Amino acid sequence: MSEKKPRTLTINILRYDPHLEGDEPRIESFTIEEAPGMTLFIVLNDIREHYDASLKFDFVCRAGICGSCGMLINGRPGLACSTLTAKLPDVINLAPLPVFELIGDLSVFTGKWMRRMNERLETWIHTKEKELRSFDRLEEPMEPELAEEIYELDRCIECGCCVTGCGTIQMNENFAAAVGLNKIARYKLDPRDEREDADYYELIGDDDGVFGCMSLLGCEDVCPKKLPLQSKIAYLRRQMVKIGLGMEKEKSLKSCECLRHDSEPE
């Protein structure tokens, strides 16, 4: 019985270096013979080693942990290192992730966008400064179930796939996207974070935050870590509605109190 002949893959790559004067966007095609267990990371390294050393793409861990190799794979955001060619057709089209700043070819600057988002949403534990300086202070205990829920959200690798798979951000570039809302959900759950409900509402209680999400499920569909993004966005939306109504009620009561005092005779 003869062995099955390996497939011949056609890899179409969108090439463009915005820093190279006179360069224009173009599609370049490469032919690769498929090998068992081959990933797109292996394909791209083979192309760079044997065909074109100038091909730009990012990688670090090669294990789906760093999120560096995010790209559009046949129009769908994904990680090159964890995408098997066996699950793809004979013709594979690769392009850089949109939304983010293009470095060149398949390489994008996700870090710039992520840093801006993290600074805007203040994605760190807010606690008293004196406690932060107490290095010998024991960490407060936490229920295992809660710790597991927080850990699940902490598995986000900031690859940018959910950002480029989001329909809202195509219309509103200020939208926090699922990666940002996921981080807020993580700190809202954390009992060590001392922010008030009003603080969280100020961060995401508008159309640039949780109320901007159209619930198209694109973020969860393309998340390589399979995070429960939509359920956490729904959780935050319920929380923000509750907080917002409470704030409006408090404001209304204060207004009524002021009117009552103003109407009282001196």
Side-chain angles (χ1 to χ4, degrees), residues 128-145:
K128 296 177 182 178
E129 187 177 358
K130 64 179 181 180
E131 292 180 350
L132 286 174
R133 293 178 178 176
S134 180
F135 297 108
D136 59 345
R137 176 174 171 266
L138 294 176
E139 187 174 354
E140 295 181 6
M142 185 184 298
E143 290 297 323
E145 294 81 6

Side-chain angles (χ1 to χ4, degrees), residues 141-205:
M142 185 184 298
E143 290 297 323
E145 294 81 6
L146 178 57
E148 183 65 27
E149 188 174 4
I150 292 172
Y151 167 74
E152 174 71 6
L153 302 184
D154 257 340
R155 292 195 305 110
C156 173
I157 57 177
E158 296 189 354
C159 62
C161 288
C162 69
V163 178
T164 57
C166 174
T168 300
I169 206 166
Q170 306 299 325
M171 299 179 290
N172 178 10
E173 62 180 10
N174 295 318
F175 182 53
V179 60
L181 297 175
N182 176 73
K183 287 176 177 289
I184 288 294
R186 178 255 181 271
Y187 289 105
K188 186 77 172 64
L189 288 169
D190 199 321
R192 297 166 296 182
D193 194 297
E194 298 177 353
R195 279 177 283 188
E196 302 291 335
D197 286 345
D199 298 324
Y200 284 108
Y201 189 86
E202 185 177 349
L203 291 173
I204 61 166

Side-chain angles (χ1 to χ4, degrees), residues 100-153:
F100 304 107
E101 180 182 329
L102 178 65
I103 296 174
D105 299 335
L106 302 175
S107 176
V108 295
F109 193 178
T110 56
K112 185 176 182 179
W113 192 95
M114 294 296 175
R115 178 170 182 172
R116 186 169 64 246
M117 177 274 297
N118 281 301
E119 289 176 348
R120 168 188 158 196
L121 298 182
E122 301 180 13
T123 56
W124 55 85
I125 289 178
H126 289 56
T127 187
K128 296 177 182 178
E129 187 177 358
K130 64 179 181 180
E131 292 180 350
L132 286 174
R133 293 178 178 176
S134 180
F135 297 108
D136 59 345
R137 176 174 171 266
L138 294 176
E139 187 174 354
E140 295 181 6
M142 185 184 298
E143 290 297 323
E145 294 81 6
L146 178 57
E148 183 65 27
E149 188 174 4
I150 292 172
Y151 167 74
E152 174 71 6
L153 302 184

